[in-house]
Amino acid sequence: MKDNTLCPCCSGNDYASCCLPILTDHALATTAELLMRSRYTAFVKQNTDHILRTWLAAKRPVSLNFDDHPVTWLGLVIHDTAQGGTKDNEGQVEFTATYIENGQLCSLKERSEFLKKDGLWYYDSGVCTVSTSKIERNSPCPCGSLKKFKKCCLNL
Ligand SMILES: [Zn+2]
Ligand SMILES: [Zn+2]
């Protein structure tokens, strides 16, 4: 079982001192990586406001509907960052996000571009690849619930 106080972005820090403040104040994402982490957490928490407002206006989708694609998010790993610091105006973050969707274990790897406009970091775009693998119905659910997959996230 995951500790509920830990931040979903897998930083190892408490949610209350990690992504939660950024979800309420965009300006607290002082680096591209912090913005990336907060956006992942916003997907986990289905915080569409934060996802949309941190998306570069020119690339931003009109809306997001989580009901169409029920997903169980499993974790985030940051592989690499380039620039994206407090003094930079652009940066890249390479990461893998894993989740369960349609009964499959999915691993999304992306190198994202971030831009800073008027002192705020925004997600610009990214090139991603998704690999999927089957989860056996009777194996432990990858979400960490200790239940069998067929009794847990398979039935989303
Ligand atoms: Zn976090
Ligand atoms: Zn599960």
Side-chain angles (χ1 to χ4, degrees):
M1 282 288 215
K2 282 194 189 135
D3 184 339
N4 274 331
T5 68
L6 285 179
C7 192
C9 81
C10 302
S11 62
N13 298 321
D14 279 353
Y15 178 45
S17 61
C18 187
C19 291
L20 179 62
I22 299 175
L23 295 188
T24 54
D25 185 358
H26 185 177
L28 293 176
T30 51
T31 67
E33 180 179 339
L34 285 174
L35 188 75
M36 169 60 225
R37 288 184 175 280
S38 74
R39 283 174 52 84
Y40 172 82
T41 297
F43 274 97
V44 176
K45 300 285 186 187
Q46 303 199 346
N47 183 328
T48 37
D49 287 352
H50 185 71
I51 296 168
L52 293 175
R53 76 169 173 226
T54 58
W55 216 311
L56 206 64
K59 312 276 177 77
R60 185 185 298 153
V62 178
S63 64
L64 288 174
N65 187 350
F66 289 109
D67 298 334
D68 293 347
H69 302 281
V71 159
T72 302
W73 294 94
L74 300 178
L76 174 72
V77 178
I78 306 277
H79 301 295
D80 187 36
T81 60
Q83 301 180 286
T86 51
K87 294 193 169 62
D88 297 315
N89 287 314
E90 58 177 278
Q92 293 94 39
V93 180
E94 191 174 311
F95 65 91
T96 299
T98 49
Y99 54 93
I100 302 167
E101 185 177 27
N102 294 329
Q104 294 204 299
L105 186 63
C106 305
S107 174
L108 180 155
K109 188 169 185 188
E110 176 169 325
R111 190 165 181 95
S112 301
E113 286 284 335
F114 293 87
L115 291 178
K116 193 153 70 181
K117 295 243 183 254
D118 300 324
L120 293 175
W121 282 106
Y122 291 91
Y123 172 72
D124 177 346
S125 57
V127 178
C128 73
T129 51
V130 180
S131 53
T132 57
S133 54
K134 199 173 180 307
I135 307 167
E136 294 303 325
R137 294 170 56 81
N138 288 313
S139 65
C141 189
C143 78
S145 66
L146 303 178
K147 291 187 215 156
K148 286 184 178 176
F149 180 53
K150 66 181 178 189
K151 300 215 161 146
C152 190
C153 297
L154 176 61
N155 300 313
L156 275 176

